[in-house]
Amino acid sequence: EIPVPTVWGEVDISRVGIYSPNKNNLTIACNRVEGNMHGGVLVNTDSLLAEIRDNEFSGNDQEGLAILFAPALFKGPGNGVAVNDLILNISGNIFSDNGDNGLVIDGDAYRTATLTLTDNEANRNGGFGVAADVHASGDAVMDVKGLLADDNTGFDGLYVNLESLNGLSKGLFEDIEANRNKNAGIEIVNLISQSGPVYGSFRSIVADENTGFGMAIGLYSVGTGAIM
């Protein structure tokens, strides 16, 4: 579990660099966000499509950027069907030198989840470099290509827990360096599907001189099978 604040309603938003309460179709580009309590906080209770590119979230007291979800699961009485989708495109950003996590994505109970992280840096943070804990009823896909996550002093350079209930759980990880972190360099604690297939791909990974594992991977498929 990612240790992040859970009651964002109590956050003093005067100390948040970028604050987005329940907004969709976001583009956050070409900003320098530093010296705040929280660099950026995006909180959603519905679907979210966001492009976050070419920003620097550095030198904040706590998170560089926190993307947090509490989706509305029930659109009608008792139907129990997740109807919200998550699509994140995060590229060319720096999440470094923050007091807690560099980038944290913490979301539950989406219909589908697609996370694409390209050419980002997350170094020298006091928590995780990058941490993602995301759950979906349908397909859950995470594609990380080009990540530098070194010298994070609290936890892993990269932490992932990606779960699908009824669909595909897929993680693609390429061109990642995660060195000298407090715990693992890369910890894929779960790529898991309760009834569908699981696929993991790992290419061009460097994870040296970490306190814990260089890389730890868990792939689990209850119903179909897992391929790495």
Side-chain angles (χ1 to χ4, degrees):
E1 183 178 354
I2 302 172
V4 296
T6 55
V7 186
W8 287 99
E10 298 177 359
V11 170
D12 179 0
I13 62 173
S14 68
R15 293 295 315 280
V16 178
I18 295 176
Y19 180 58
S20 175
N22 210 35
K23 304 298 182 181
N24 198 358
N25 295 317
L26 293 174
T27 298
I28 300 173
C30 303
N31 298 285
R32 184 174 182 180
V33 184
E34 63 179 12
N36 304 282
M37 179 170 289
H38 308 278
V41 178
L42 313 184
V43 184
N44 269 62
T45 59
D46 212 321
S47 293
L48 174 62
L49 167 63
E51 179 181 5
I52 301 165
R53 57 177 171 82
D54 302 321
N55 301 284
E56 182 175 352
F57 294 88
S58 296
N60 298 286
D61 293 347
Q62 296 188 27
E63 289 75 27
L65 177 62
I67 304 173
L68 309 174
F69 309 99
L73 281 177
F74 301 98
K75 291 296 185 182
N79 64 11
V81 177
V83 295
N84 306 306
D85 298 302
L86 168 64
I87 302 174
L88 295 177
N89 294 296
I90 301 174
S91 63
N93 301 282
I94 298 173
F95 307 98
S96 295
D97 300 301
N98 297 289
D100 204 333
N101 309 308
L103 168 64
V104 58
I105 304 167
D106 192 8
D108 202 359
Y110 270 86
R111 177 173 55 188
T112 63
T114 304
L115 285 64
T116 304
L117 281 67
T118 307
D119 296 333
N120 298 287
E121 297 182 14
N123 304 310
R124 301 177 302 278
N125 296 289
F128 293 99
V130 174
D133 188 349
V134 176
H135 306 262
S137 60
D139 292 346
V141 178
M142 185 171 187
D143 185 351
V144 180
K145 184 173 183 180
L147 173 65
L148 181 62
D150 289 346
D151 300 300
N152 294 288
T153 59
F155 299 98
D156 309 323
L158 172 63
Y159 171 96
V160 175
N161 182 26
L162 188 68
E163 180 177 8
S164 168
L165 181 62
N166 298 310
L168 167 71
S169 180
K170 181 178 181 180
L172 306 174
F173 304 91
E174 184 175 354
D175 293 332
I176 298 172
E177 292 190 21
N179 305 304
R180 299 177 303 278
N181 294 288
K182 177 66 174 178
N183 191 38
I186 300 170
E187 184 174 7
I188 313 299
V189 63
N190 278 320
L191 290 178
I192 185 169
S193 177
Q194 298 297 331
S195 61
V198 175
Y199 178 78
S201 175
F202 304 87
R203 299 180 178 180
S204 300
I205 306 293
V206 178
D208 293 336
E209 301 181 54
N210 296 285
T211 302
F213 294 105
M215 182 165 61
I217 303 170
L219 275 69
Y220 307 97
S221 176
V222 178
T224 304
I227 300 173
M228 182 171 68

